Amino acid sequence: MVRIGLFIVLYGLIPAVQSYLYIIDLAFVTPASALNYILSIFSYYAVFSHLLISVKIPRMQHILPYDRMIKFHALSGILLTLSIYYHGAFKLLSGKELEGTSIMLFFLWTFLLFLAVIWIETPFSRSIRNVLLKRFVVLKRIPYDLLKGIHEYLFFAFAIITFIHINESDLLYSSYSFITVYGSGFPIAVLALVLYGRLRRFFFPRFTVMSVRNEADTLVLTLSSAGKHSLRYRSGQFGYLKVLKKGMNREEHPFSFLSHAHEKEVMLGIKSLGDFTRSIQALLPGDTVSINGGFGNFIPSADEKPKVFIGSGIGIVPLVSLVREMRHTPLKGVADVFLAVTLREELLFEEELKELEKTIENLNLHLYVYKEDGILYTSELFRQAIGNPEQAHYFICSSPGVREIVTSALTSIGASKKQIHFEAFSY
Ligand SMILES: Cc1cc2nc3c(=O)[nH]c(=O)nc-3n(C[C@H](O)[C@H](O)[C@H](O)COP(=O)(O)OP(=O)(O)OC[C@H]3O[C@@H](n4cnc5c(N)ncnc54)[C@H](O)[C@@H]3O)c2cc1C
């Protein structure tokens, strides 16, 4: 509730008051120009909120959790698209001069949109993306990290040009001085956070690779630090891994913790998908990596409500960590844990989990190995295993396809969508 309130105040109430005070100061205004001012002022704040996404400061998790910021990013992206194209159309149709910065913003935004569409698959852009990638096969070959880097730097340039443009247009000036002060102070505060985020990189906790073990398709990385490290995370969360080895990809990639916070060593379970995850295979004991974390809200509440954890494939990683953590933080309610993999080797910590089930009274494990039992998740399977489907809270981590099957199976047995929480391994 506090978070929603903060978002409403920062990106709704303040821009609304600012738009109102700006417009009432004007001698003449038409509905079309008023809409142009309103969209521009709302977009101004949205642009700087986009920059916050690259900041990645774990302490900010409580106020602005990363997953919510990503959702807000998608929503405010729609507002920005509307605003920029409306701004161009309004100026052209009303015969006003289109300034250099407006033209730059128009082209830069169009290019950023194109990059976003080919870079990440989202429900909004999936069909356009598929058409583009099919027609221009060369686009498929552009590495994810390169697209991400270009997007980040160009967006930074976009934010700076927005600041200049809004200042040129006098939109920040008002007879109410607090409007001007807040309007200029907001981007300065965001830029200070961005700078702080950049500087933090030099101080991320560093770890030495202890072992690199292959379990079928999953690579289990065990990391240790010489002294007490400053990495703080909770089971269910993820961190950004960066390899500090000459000649290796220096981009940071997100991975859920396989270990839990009570362990001295940090463990990650990594599945090879592309350039970065393949290059990890070349890590050797003694190499150095850094981790920025923990992030994410894939953490069950500590109440007595029954909890159901459902994972498949590499998506079992955060769930294994949550179950292993139960040894130290006892459960208040019943927990049903469903883990499904293709090969038995992928069932990480199988023995330990089974031992835990014997000692933790309210923990029920449901383990499936497809190559051995041929079992897949269905509504019938969940109906038989889950006592009170209407009351439970669900935590799912799997590929998007399995997630859809599981969600519809759960809703068909009485779970409401509000009770279902996800960890998506992509964004
Ligand atoms: C919150 C979260 C937790 C994750 N936990 C795990 C885990 O425990 N184990 C595991 O094996 N994988 C995990 N992943 C996925 C992992 O980050 C990607 O598989 C990996 O970054 C792929 O990089 P690549 O260069 O090998 O593949 P690429 O070919 O570059 O990418 C393959 C796909 O992976 C995704 N991806 C690539 N880079 C990133 C990135 N920097 N950020 C987000 N998504 C990316 C994209 O959807 C992309 O299409 C997690 C992802 C997220 C967002």
Side-chain angles (χ1 to χ4, degrees):
M1 263 330 246
V2 176
R3 276 184 216 127
I4 295 175
L6 187 70
F7 269 84
I8 292 174
V9 171
L10 286 181
Y11 303 113
L13 206 61
I14 294 177
V17 170
Q18 184 161 356
S19 304
Y20 173 73
L21 294 177
Y22 180 78
I23 289 169
I24 57 162
D25 265 357
L26 297 174
F28 176 74
V29 64
T30 62
S33 62
L35 182 62
N36 182 41
Y37 297 133
I38 293 170
L39 283 176
S40 300
I41 291 174
F42 272 81
S43 303
Y44 174 69
Y45 291 103
V47 166
F48 286 95
S49 83
H50 279 229
L51 279 186
L52 283 178
I53 288 190
S54 63
V55 171
K56 294 180 192 141
I57 300 174
R59 276 172 207 272
M60 272 174 58
Q61 273 291 290
H62 307 291
I63 326 164
L64 297 171
Y66 198 62
D67 49 349
R68 309 279 158 85
M69 278 169 69
I70 294 283
K71 280 186 193 144
F72 183 69
H73 183 80
L75 269 179
S76 57
I78 298 172
L79 168 78
L80 283 173
T81 309
L82 246 173
S83 166
I84 284 161
Y85 294 134
Y86 178 79
H87 184 65
F90 167 75
K91 290 235 161 167
L92 287 176
L93 293 175
S94 58
K96 290 193 180 0
E97 187 203 348
L98 210 53
E99 311 89 334
T101 44
S102 278
I103 298 170
M104 277 155 86
L105 288 177
F106 176 85
F107 283 109
L108 209 48
W109 184 254
T110 306
F111 187 61
L112 280 167
L113 262 187
F114 168 74
L115 276 185
V117 168
I118 57 165
W119 171 32
I120 302 175
E121 190 175 315
T122 68
F124 303 120
S125 61
R126 188 172 293 139
S127 45
I128 309 174
R129 183 175 192 261
N130 290 344
V131 171
L132 281 173
L133 295 185
K134 219 174 187 179
R135 187 155 296 179
F136 308 102
V137 186
V138 67
L139 294 177
K140 268 194 198 162
R141 287 195 220 117
I142 310 177
Y144 182 99
D145 288 336
L146 181 65
L147 287 170
K148 184 169 163 246
I150 300 176
H151 189 273
E152 260 181 42
Y153 283 108
L154 283 187
F155 196 87
F156 192 77
F158 182 83
I160 301 291
I161 301 171
T162 303
F163 183 74
I164 297 170
H165 180 66
I166 295 283
N167 270 286
E168 274 177 1
S169 324
D170 277 355
L171 270 182
L172 293 181
Y173 294 99
S174 161
S175 50
Y176 301 89
S177 58
F178 74 90
I179 295 280
T180 315
V181 172
Y182 181 81
S184 327
F186 187 81
I188 292 172
V190 170
L191 290 177
L193 273 173
V194 171
L195 186 68
Y196 173 65
R198 295 261 149 191
L199 292 177
R200 275 186 72 243
R201 287 168 193 220
F202 297 108
F203 306 100
F204 287 162
R206 289 181 178 216
F207 295 88
T208 305
V209 175
M210 299 302 289
S211 71
V212 188
R213 202 175 76 232
N214 276 297
E215 299 288 358
D217 256 2
T218 309
L219 185 137
V220 177
L221 203 59
T222 307
L223 311 167
S224 162
S225 83
K228 198 173 178 300
H229 60 76
S230 57
L231 180 67
R232 300 271 168 275
Y233 71 93
R234 291 177 66 185
S235 290
Q237 287 197 306
F238 65 93
Y240 287 90
L241 173 74
K242 188 170 178 179
V243 176
L244 306 171
K245 185 177 177 177
K246 249 193 171 171
M248 277 182 78
N249 188 326
R250 287 254 167 172
E251 271 301 318
E252 48 178 37
H253 282 239
F255 295 99
S256 299
F257 293 103
L258 178 60
S259 49
H260 58 75
H262 292 89
E263 283 173 289
K264 188 173 180 299
E265 287 167 345
V266 171
M267 269 183 268
L268 304 172
I270 300 177
K271 188 176 171 121
S272 278
L273 263 185
D275 298 345
F276 182 81
T277 42
R278 265 197 296 274
S279 71
I280 289 282
Q281 304 273 350
L283 275 180
L284 294 170
D287 288 340
T288 310
V289 300
S290 72
I291 299 185
N292 179 20
F295 294 96
N297 286 302
F298 195 60
I299 301 171
S301 55
D303 54 32
E304 287 175 9
K305 287 185 191 133
K307 313 274 180 328
V308 178
F309 301 89
I310 304 168
S312 72
I314 193 65
I316 69 168
V317 168
L319 304 184
V320 169
S321 168
L322 282 163
V323 177
R324 295 181 66 231
E325 163 73 34
M326 288 174 194
R327 188 197 299 276
H328 303 272
T329 318
L331 274 176
K332 289 201 181 130
V334 176
D336 278 285
V337 181
F338 295 79
L339 304 178
V341 291
T342 309
L343 299 169
R344 186 156 295 273
E345 297 93 297
E346 293 168 42
L347 211 43
L348 305 169
F349 289 100
E350 183 183 3
E351 291 313 314
E352 186 179 326
L353 299 184
K354 284 180 173 166
E355 277 306 309
L356 277 173
E357 190 186 26
K358 286 183 199 151
T359 52
I360 302 177
E361 205 186 314
N362 42 0
L363 169 66
N364 306 312
L365 281 186
H366 311 265
L367 307 180
Y368 307 104
V369 178
Y370 184 71
K371 285 276 180 198
E372 295 175 18
D373 52 33
I375 295 175
L376 294 171
Y377 289 145
T378 57
S379 32
E380 207 36 51
L381 182 137
F382 293 129
R383 197 192 313 278
Q384 282 175 14
I386 303 169
N388 294 310
E390 306 84 11
Q391 285 166 23
H393 273 257
Y394 300 86
F395 297 83
I396 306 174
C397 188
S398 67
S399 65
V402 175
R403 189 169 74 208
E404 259 174 52
I405 293 170
V406 170
T407 312
S408 78
L410 292 177
T411 45
S412 79
I413 63 166
S416 91
K417 286 210 168 148
K418 267 196 193 155
Q419 294 158 242
I420 304 178
H421 316 271
F422 304 110
E423 181 61 292
F425 271 8
S426 68
Y427 41 73

